[in-house]
Amino acid sequence: MKSFTYERATSVEAAAKAAASHDAARFIAGGTNLLDLMKLEIETPTHLIDVNSLGLDTIEATPEGGLRIGALVRNTELAADERVRRDYGLLSRALLAGASGQLRNKATTAGNLLQRTRCPYFYDTNQPCNKRQPGSGCSAIDGFSRQLGIVGVSDSCIATHPSDMAIAMRALDAVIETVGADGAKRSIPIADFHRLPGDTPHIETELKKGEVITAVVLPKPIGGKHIYRKVRDRASYAFALISVGAVILPDGTGRVAVGGVAHKPWRLDTADAELPSGAGRVTRRLLLDAQPTEHNAYKVKLVERTLGAVLAEAKG
Amino acid sequence: MKFDTPATQNPIDRMTVVGKPIERIDGQMKTTGRAKYAYEWHDDAVPYAYGYPLGAAIAKGRIRAMDVTAASRAPGVIKIVTSDSMPDLKKAKRNTAKLFGGVDIHHYHQAVAVVVAETFEQARAAAHLIKVDYEESKGAFDLEASMDAAIKPKDGEPDSAAGDFAPAFETATVQLDQTYTTPDQSHAMMEPHASIAAWDGDALTVWTSSQMVDWWRSDLATALDMDKEKIHIMSPFIGGGFGSKLFLRSDAVLAALASREAGRPVKVALPRPFLMNNTTHRPATIQRIRIGAGQDGKITAIAHESWSGDLEGGGPEVAVQQTRLLYAGANRMTATRLAVLDLPEGNAMRAPGEAPGLMALEVAMDEMAEKLGQDPVAFRILNDTQVDPEKPEKAFSHRDLVGCMKLGAERFGWDKRNARPGTVQDGDWLVGMGVAAAFRNNMVMPSGARARLDREGVLTVETDMTDIGTGSYTIIAQTAAEMLGLPIDRVAVNLGDSRFPVSSGSGGQWGGNSATAGVYAACVKMREAIAAALGFNAENIDFADGMVISGDRRVPLAEAVKDKPLVVEDTIEYGDISEEKQQSTFGAHFVEVGVNIATGEPRIRRMLAVCAAGRILNPMTARSQVIGAMTMGVGGALSEELAVDKKRGFFVNHDLAGYEVPVHADIPHQEVIFMDETDPMSSPMKAKGVGELGLCGVAAAINNAVYNATGIRVRNYPVTLDKLIGALPQLS
């Protein structure tokens, strides 16, 4: 871990300003991912801005009938919230499918969105990785890629976003609220929040330098059956090989987002539109441009079959 | 004491303390954090410095230059010891990979430097600043591609044969010829390798995590080119080893070198990724098995060939070992071949040989039973042998595989298994049952102990034996208590200190039987010393309830030490008896799995192990051994694989996020039954090992259950959903 300076931010605006004024600042909340990355010198911030005392830890009803989830609401709290469990069951289930009880107690809503890939090559500083060290190359494409992405990938990077929560947020059309270094507020739909790797896999989100996430807003609930199905080698405490988050309405329409396949939660309107026609057609749409490797080609079939089971469950 | 005739009636047979499910006597210390593990020894008065290792960034080549300028100037740095500044350290005979020194790189994460600083964090930060210029050379990393170049290993028995396999196989009515693969696996124990080294003049003390104290002491002396007597090793508590801590590792060497250079006691713990790429692992195997049988199901021909790889000068994974002994059949052969691979060192991991060997053999047996239309339990029973099939004149000392199979089948409800695969469904789950035989040879090792009876009537046992989580402390206390007629709380046990008599150590499941036999020997001497002190005739004497009893005369034990404490020492040694009969341990594993019909996720539903392993010294700690082993078998079957990057030459998933061992949610139900038996050929304890037996065959039983559930036969471990998903039934 490299030496760094540290401050406790006293306001969102001050935090944003402080972050913008340092070359390599990072916000720290739960620290469940950042600290590991710092120990391995994958992340080498020169300045840490602790945002834990900014409040932002409540879940409030919005006038539109949705929920505004403070950026610092812990995963445990969010999963247990009565309104979330009642109206956004998908979110609660996705959260509880992730990490461990201890980690969820620390991990925050904003931090979860910003967690970094678990590609093993990203974690080994001896190996080339365009995400860790732009321009150094990708070891994963011709290396061990069983866990990695199959769609939206590029010649530079096939990493996946590891979050379960984000899959639910994507299916629920969450909106991310931020405050920029200039004090300006923005609302970013989650569809636009995470980027595809392209030739800049080190740039993972649309956040600008210094920009602070203050809340994640869920629109008014749409009802339907909320199902999150995470598929993994062991029964708990593992990242998804793939996961399917779906909201299925009584008429068979709905939404589906898939995890473990791309650099961002993977959802397409064209695929959603096929939901009444079944898993095969949805998957063909979702994975139309899939470019799996030899190691992860199984994910194509796995997505289709898992989605099939999810749709059957929704009907049942 | 020389053990050269079968054990007869002895004080252990009373079983008043031995054989009881006594809780670990060190359990409270462990659960309350008072048991000090290697890295935790701490004295505020001692100015410890912290060492952090740097591993090679390439798999093969040499160091052209190392630049430590920036690292040396980093805050808190005391000293940096680099590999290129010294010649290769002398390699101990038990090590294949070199541990430090020189410029040649033989595998990824070979230690190339250790940075010593005032704090751990400073040492780690500075280690990242070292610049190493490597000259990379081409390596071999792919076992399959290296098979043709594999050679017959120099040591051991690479080939075995009896009868004439080839014609017998060719003419067999029913034949099986299949190839199976098992991947590289990591010990993945909780406590990483860690050492603290402190020099006092030319004498060295090392607090470490070692399964074999005396081996480490000898091998560290070799590496440092010093007198063994000048080294003091302490390893009283060990957070798991599974074979990873059998042989001297780089943590001890780096700590010793760093401490010498820094002039301070130095602590070194290997970072988690080092466990996979710096230390040893269970090597991958490719195994070809051929079995021929008559229509009656009797095996007439059986062959097992295995290929594995290791660094130059290393050894093979002897995966054919059990096939020489497990089933009858007049015509047989085995062959073990070794390829040179430039991956980290392959070496012993829990039940080396049998664990991967049975992963293949017991699936082959399942396949063969199906070809024959026989029940897999019945097929194994039919082919039982009571003698070494290669040397029919050599009988097993005691063998109850059949008993294990029968009892297990009954308890598990095997008769409810549907022999037609893929036909049982429970909701979204395809359900299947599988069975496999467990087999592991029983090795015995000389083992010494010292016993001291003090004036308070407390018996203290000292031996350099280790407790790697197995329960050594407890079974040693039970043995001593039984021998002297004391309650267990009047016995103190001190382990893992090289100042104590050399023991068997912990490995190869020999520790429980051997170390307690050494304690038995010392206690026999103690009984004689007590008798002499009290003027008793040692022949007609009994020890019970803290009293020495002979006829009508009853004297408290403490009387014998009212003038001075008694101290005795002895070592159990074995004559030819261990060669006269084949000593092995046996068992049967039964598993029920569910395979998700949509995703192919295989999940355990319940497991049963029946073990025949001689006298069970403590059914509670023995059960813990077996359920732990069964859990490890679940990992071996369903998830554990060190992924080889065949281009760059290293194990990619080198942490516990990437190398998945089972979690609690994977293990819903386990049951263990021990056969009530003794083996008088094994030692005066009449016990054998269970710690490895519990693992042997588990993965095959799981794999067979997956087949029974789905009809899909996976011959390359682990059995993960990607290997099933393409062949699962269409979803409705």
Side-chain angles (χ1 to χ4, degrees):
Chain A
M1 192 183 287
K2 292 213 159 142
S3 296
F4 56 89
T5 50
Y6 170 87
E7 70 172 282
R8 283 202 180 96
T10 50
S11 72
V12 171
E13 292 71 21
K17 246 186 213 150
S21 67
H22 282 84
D23 278 346
R26 282 277 184 272
F27 301 116
I28 183 164
T32 56
N33 190 202
L34 180 62
L35 290 178
D36 283 350
L37 294 170
M38 286 172 68
K39 288 172 188 173
L40 295 164
E41 296 200 1
I42 294 161
E43 290 267 12
T44 52
T46 55
H47 186 65
L48 282 190
I49 302 156
D50 187 333
V51 293
N52 281 300
S53 47
L54 295 184
L56 307 177
D57 56 354
T58 55
I59 305 171
E60 289 160 8
T62 64
E64 294 76 25
L67 285 182
R68 176 171 282 104
I69 302 157
L72 293 170
V73 172
R74 308 287 153 170
N75 287 176
T76 298
E77 244 177 287
L78 183 56
D81 184 272
E82 201 186 316
R83 294 159 293 181
V84 172
R85 290 173 59 190
R86 186 186 60 220
D87 299 329
Y88 307 96
L90 175 61
L91 177 58
S92 185
R93 288 175 191 125
L95 282 161
L96 294 174
S100 66
Q102 293 90 332
L103 286 165
R104 293 194 297 267
N105 287 343
K106 289 296 285 179
T108 63
T109 307
N112 191 314
L113 288 173
L114 296 176
Q115 66 180 300
R116 308 205 62 192
T117 186
R118 299 288 166 162
C119 174
Y121 295 97
F122 176 69
Y123 270 79
D124 188 332
T125 50
N126 289 326
Q127 305 304 330
C129 170
N130 287 321
K131 184 182 277 298
R132 177 166 31 75
Q133 203 182 341
S136 61
C138 173
S139 315
I141 289 173
D142 63 352
F144 172 62
S145 56
R146 182 172 177 267
Q147 295 266 354
L148 302 176
I150 56 172
V151 69
V153 296
S154 73
D155 292 343
S156 298
C157 183
I158 57 169
T160 54
H161 193 273
S163 169
D164 293 298
M165 183 195 82
I167 305 305
M169 293 290 198
R170 179 71 184 88
L172 295 169
D173 280 336
V175 174
I176 292 135
E177 295 186 342
T178 69
V179 172
D182 56 1
K185 295 184 176 176
R186 312 208 258 170
S187 294
I188 311 169
I190 189 164
D192 304 330
F193 183 77
H194 294 104
R195 294 165 54 109
L196 288 178
D199 53 9
T200 55
H202 57 293
I203 305 171
E204 294 171 351
T205 69
E206 288 298 318
L207 289 175
K208 298 196 179 101
K209 192 171 166 67
E211 195 167 4
V212 182
I213 298 176
T214 53
V216 177
V217 177
L218 295 178
K220 196 174 153 202
I222 60 164
K225 286 216 173 151
H226 287 224
I227 299 170
Y228 188 72
R229 181 68 167 89
K230 182 174 184 179
V231 183
R232 44 189 161 178
D233 290 323
R234 64 180 173 196
S236 178
Y237 201 45
F239 294 97
L241 294 171
I242 66 115
S243 66
V244 172
V247 179
I248 306 295
L249 300 171
D251 64 1
T253 63
R255 304 150 171 205
V256 60
V258 178
V261 295
H263 204 247
K264 60 189 288 184
W266 196 248
R267 181 180 163 202
L268 298 175
D269 292 341
T270 51
D272 281 0
E274 297 282 4
L275 274 168
S277 320
R281 294 179 73 118
V282 178
T283 307
R284 274 192 286 287
R285 284 286 175 193
L286 270 174
L287 304 181
L288 192 62
D289 301 316
Q291 292 173 267
T293 66
E294 182 193 341
H295 292 150
N296 63 25
Y298 71 94
K299 288 191 176 189
V300 174
K301 189 156 245 172
L302 186 56
V303 167
E304 181 180 339
R305 293 183 69 99
T306 308
L307 180 58
V310 165
L311 296 181
E313 186 184 337
K315 251 190 225 162
Chain B
M1 176 184 285
K2 186 125 184 191
F3 183 71
D4 50 13
T5 55
T8 52
Q9 182 85 13
N10 70 43
I12 299 296
D13 294 325
R14 294 188 297 190
M15 300 272 281
T16 58
V17 192
V18 168
K20 299 284 182 250
I22 292 170
E23 288 179 11
R24 286 162 200 265
I25 61 172
D26 52 330
Q28 273 200 359
M29 285 183 74
K30 285 183 173 172
T31 52
T32 55
R34 285 175 297 136
K36 282 201 178 89
Y37 290 82
Y39 202 75
E40 298 174 333
W41 288 86
H42 201 87
D43 179 342
D44 283 341
V46 174
Y48 296 102
Y50 295 81
Y52 194 87
L54 179 69
I58 62 165
K60 193 176 183 187
R62 57 190 292 278
I63 300 169
R64 246 190 241 120
M66 294 182 75
D67 178 0
V68 296
T69 321
S72 307
R73 289 187 195 131
V77 171
I78 299 164
K79 197 85 198 172
I80 299 173
V81 183
T82 59
S83 190
D84 67 341
S85 64
M86 62 176 70
D88 288 23
L89 291 186
K90 204 169 160 201
K91 204 161 38 176
K93 65 171 191 239
R94 296 180 190 91
N95 290 125
T96 300
K98 72 169 175 176
L99 298 178
F100 198 66
V103 296
D104 293 328
I105 302 300
H106 296 147
H107 65 88
Y108 193 68
H109 274 176
Q110 176 184 313
V112 295
V114 57
V115 178
V116 187
E118 295 293 342
T119 69
F120 169 79
E121 288 76 12
Q122 289 170 334
R124 185 176 58 190
H128 279 106
L129 298 173
I130 297 174
K131 291 194 186 73
V132 189
D133 180 17
Y134 295 103
E135 183 183 307
E136 225 174 325
S137 45
K138 200 170 164 333
F141 311 119
D142 184 344
L143 175 59
E144 201 184 342
S146 305
M147 268 176 89
D148 290 343
I151 53 141
K152 205 185 272 197
K154 284 195 298 287
D155 301 325
E157 293 177 80
D159 291 321
S160 77
D164 197 352
F165 171 75
F169 180 69
E170 266 165 42
T171 55
T173 322
V174 180
Q175 298 170 340
L176 172 102
D177 182 353
Q178 282 295 354
T179 299
Y180 307 84
T181 65
T182 64
D184 297 284
Q185 294 180 337
S186 176
H187 307 82
M189 66 284 169
M190 284 291 265
E191 182 202 27
H193 302 76
S195 293
I196 305 173
W199 290 87
D200 180 5
D202 62 351
L204 172 65
T205 300
V206 179
W207 290 263
T208 191
S209 188
S210 159
Q211 297 175 227
M212 302 293 296
V213 168
D214 194 59
W215 287 4
W216 282 57
R217 193 182 186 208
S218 307
D219 292 352
L220 188 56
T222 303
L224 300 176
D225 196 17
M226 65 185 286
D227 180 3
K228 176 181 172 179
E229 297 304 316
K230 295 277 188 186
I231 297 177
H232 174 202
I233 302 272
M234 289 285 287
S235 182
F237 294 103
I238 295 139
F242 309 122
S244 185
K245 295 166 179 171
L246 284 169
F247 315 110
L248 179 71
R249 302 298 342 151
S250 61
D251 58 308
V253 172
L254 295 176
L257 292 172
S259 174
R260 188 156 66 188
E261 293 294 312
R264 306 229 320 239
V266 171
K267 294 189 174 200
V268 175
L270 296 189
R272 183 62 73 181
F274 269 52
L275 176 56
M276 285 75 181
N277 283 297
N278 176 268
T279 75
T280 59
H281 64 277
R282 189 200 299 284
T285 64
I286 298 171
Q287 303 178 46
R288 181 185 184 200
I289 295 177
R290 283 170 290 171
I291 304 175
Q295 203 55 59
D296 60 356
K298 288 212 166 144
I299 294 172
T300 52
I302 184 163
H304 193 161
E305 298 155 271
S306 172
W307 290 259
S308 63
D310 202 0
L311 289 165
E312 188 79 53
E317 180 71 23
V318 190
V320 305
Q321 205 156 258
Q322 70 292 320
T323 308
R324 300 178 61 183
L325 291 162
L326 190 47
Y327 297 113
N331 304 290
R332 45 207 307 133
M333 65 83 78
T334 69
T336 301
R337 294 295 178 265
L338 177 63
V340 173
L341 291 181
D342 300 298
L343 290 168
E345 177 178 338
N347 213 319
M349 178 169 143
R350 200 175 198 172
E354 281 99 331
L358 286 162
M359 286 167 85
L361 177 65
E362 286 299 284
V363 172
M365 287 296 285
D366 202 65
E367 297 199 55
M368 194 65 190
E370 192 183 35
K371 277 176 182 270
L372 286 158
Q374 293 209 352
D375 177 83
V377 170
F379 178 54
R380 287 175 172 88
I381 290 173
L382 180 68
N383 286 290
D384 185 50
T385 173
Q386 290 294 314
V387 297
D388 177 343
E390 285 177 15
K391 305 180 201 76
E393 66 284 2
K394 189 174 182 181
F396 284 93
S397 59
H398 186 84
R399 169 170 169 137
D400 196 12
L401 177 63
V402 171
C404 293
M405 282 282 162
K406 284 184 172 164
L407 181 63
E410 184 196 316
R411 293 290 180 87
F412 197 71
W414 183 253
D415 57 341
K416 293 184 186 65
R417 171 179 176 270
N418 189 328
R420 234 181 88 224
T423 48
V424 180
Q425 199 171 338
D426 177 8
D428 295 335
W429 298 87
L430 297 166
V431 179
M433 291 189 203
V435 67
F439 175 92
R440 172 70 174 154
N441 275 335
N442 186 59
M443 289 176 270
V444 290
M445 294 277 271
S447 195
R450 185 185 299 143
R452 188 175 65 245
L453 186 62
D454 64 25
R455 284 169 206 174
E456 287 72 43
V458 172
L459 184 82
T460 303
V461 180
E462 294 175 339
T463 160
D464 84 352
M465 179 60 187
T466 49
D467 189 326
I468 59 174
T470 40
S472 307
Y473 279 100
T474 310
I475 56 173
I476 284 172
Q478 287 174 273
T479 303
E482 192 75 81
M483 290 299 289
L484 275 304
L486 288 168
I488 196 161
D489 60 6
R490 304 300 285 170
V491 179
V493 180
N494 296 323
L495 301 181
D497 186 328
S498 63
R499 293 172 299 191
F500 301 155
V502 174
S503 73
S504 63
S506 299
Q509 79 169 9
W510 62 60
N513 176 50
S514 301
T516 53
V519 172
Y520 172 94
C523 288
V524 167
K525 265 201 180 165
M526 177 59 83
R527 287 165 65 110
E528 290 163 2
I530 291 167
L534 295 175
F536 277 97
N537 175 357
E539 294 295 307
N540 304 309
I541 192 167
D542 196 14
F543 291 72
D545 307 324
M547 310 288 278
V548 190
I549 304 155
S550 181
D552 296 340
R553 197 174 158 209
R554 293 168 68 88
V555 183
L557 214 55
E559 281 289 304
V561 281
K562 67 176 192 290
D563 296 329
K564 62 174 175 50
L566 290 173
V567 182
V568 298
E569 189 176 321
D570 202 3
T571 296
I572 188 93
E573 288 170 302
Y574 299 86
D576 296 337
I577 184 165
S578 57
E579 300 303 316
E580 279 168 26
K581 304 257 176 153
Q582 177 58 43
Q583 287 187 31
S584 306
T585 60
F586 304 89
H589 288 286
F590 292 82
V591 178
E592 184 179 289
V593 303
V595 176
N596 188 281
I597 195 164
T599 63
E601 290 160 296
R603 298 283 185 255
I604 303 294
R605 289 160 69 100
R606 58 193 181 102
M607 310 174 79
L608 165 69
V610 184
C611 301
R615 170 174 282 149
I616 298 302
L617 303 174
N618 180 329
M620 185 184 285
T621 55
R623 179 179 183 278
S624 291
Q625 279 291 289
V626 176
I627 62 173
M630 290 158 79
T631 304
M632 191 178 245
V634 173
L638 300 181
S639 62
E640 292 184 43
E641 172 177 20
L642 285 169
V644 183
D645 186 316
K646 289 174 186 167
K647 197 171 152 198
R648 297 165 191 87
F650 73 113
F651 298 128
V652 183
N653 50 342
H654 49 54
D655 59 34
L656 293 181
Y659 187 84
E660 290 185 13
V661 299
V663 294
H664 282 92
D666 293 306
I667 312 292
H669 183 83
Q670 293 177 321
E671 197 183 338
V672 181
I673 299 170
F674 293 110
M675 301 299 274
D676 187 8
E677 63 171 43
T678 55
D679 192 336
M681 301 296 285
S682 71
S683 83
M685 303 302 293
K686 304 174 188 172
K688 297 192 278 200
V690 294
E692 299 189 330
L693 178 67
L695 171 62
C696 294
V698 176
I702 294 167
N703 197 354
N704 293 338
V706 168
Y707 175 75
N708 183 238
T710 62
I712 305 166
R713 187 66 80 177
V714 178
R715 298 188 185 88
N716 52 334
Y717 287 94
V719 185
T720 44
L721 60 86
D722 44 316
K723 296 168 190 169
L724 301 171
I725 192 132
L728 286 170
Q730 285 291 320
L731 293 175
S732 51

